[in-house]
Each structure stands twice: as structure tokens, then as C-alpha cells.
Amino acid sequence: IRISILNGCGESGVAKKFADFFEANRYEIVHVGNADNYDYNETTVIYQESLSKNSVKRLEKDSGIKKDRLIQDPATNTIGDVKLIIGKDYKELELYKKTQI
């Protein structure tokens, strides 16, 4: 799974920590950067329709992001299969806890 990770919360270094986690779990990190703004309240995953159902399930399991925050959007402009936008809720995510080891 090729993934772009965008900081949408404004907290320095968060996108890099998430990228390190995904890379260690055999995801291909294709981009790490800032979202178009820092006003994202909820962490969201936007994925291409070409991503298999098994890959979506794996992403959901590995990230711990709620299923309702995993959005299929064929019109989204993304590098890779998945765009993960880190919101202000990131400290509540199981994924965040996994990056704090």
C-alpha cells in the first residue's frame, strides 16, 4: 500500500512519526508533508477505489482509525493509494499510542 501522510493538525513531527510506523509495517511511504490547512479535527483516510478490500481492512486494523473515517474517493488528488490526513484527534488514536513505544 502506497501512502501519503499529511499533517492537518499543525503539531510538529506528527506526520514523520506516523510515517515511521507505517514504514516499519511494510507500507510504502510516497509523501510526507502538510495538509492544505491545520484545521482538521478528525484524522481521515482517503483511498483510491483501486485499493483492494483486503488492503482497506489491513489499513483499518493497523491504523486503528474508525471505519467511518476511511473514505473512498476516486476524485481525490493523491500521490499513492491512500492519503492520511492527521487531525487534532491524533492523540486519541490507537496508532498514536503505537508510535510512542
Side-chain angles (χ1 to χ4, degrees), residues 6-10 33-41 85-88:
L6 303 175
N7 183 338
C9 68
N34 293 321
D36 56 343
N37 67 71
Y38 294 133
D39 296 328
Y40 288 88
N41 289 318
I85 304 171
I86 302 167
K88 294 179 181 181

Side-chain angles (χ1 to χ4, degrees), residues 49-67:
E49 63 185 332
S50 60
L51 195 64
S52 73
K53 288 183 182 187
N54 284 342
S55 293
V56 174
K57 285 180 184 178
R58 177 181 169 214
L59 182 63
E60 181 182 359
K61 179 180 174 267
D62 289 347
S63 70
I65 295 171
K66 296 177 193 168
K67 192 172 190 167

Side-chain angles (χ1 to χ4, degrees), residues 1-16:
I1 300 172
R2 298 175 333 120
I3 187 169
S4 294
I5 301 177
L6 303 175
N7 183 338
C9 68
E11 195 72 33
S12 181
V14 174
K16 174 74 170 102

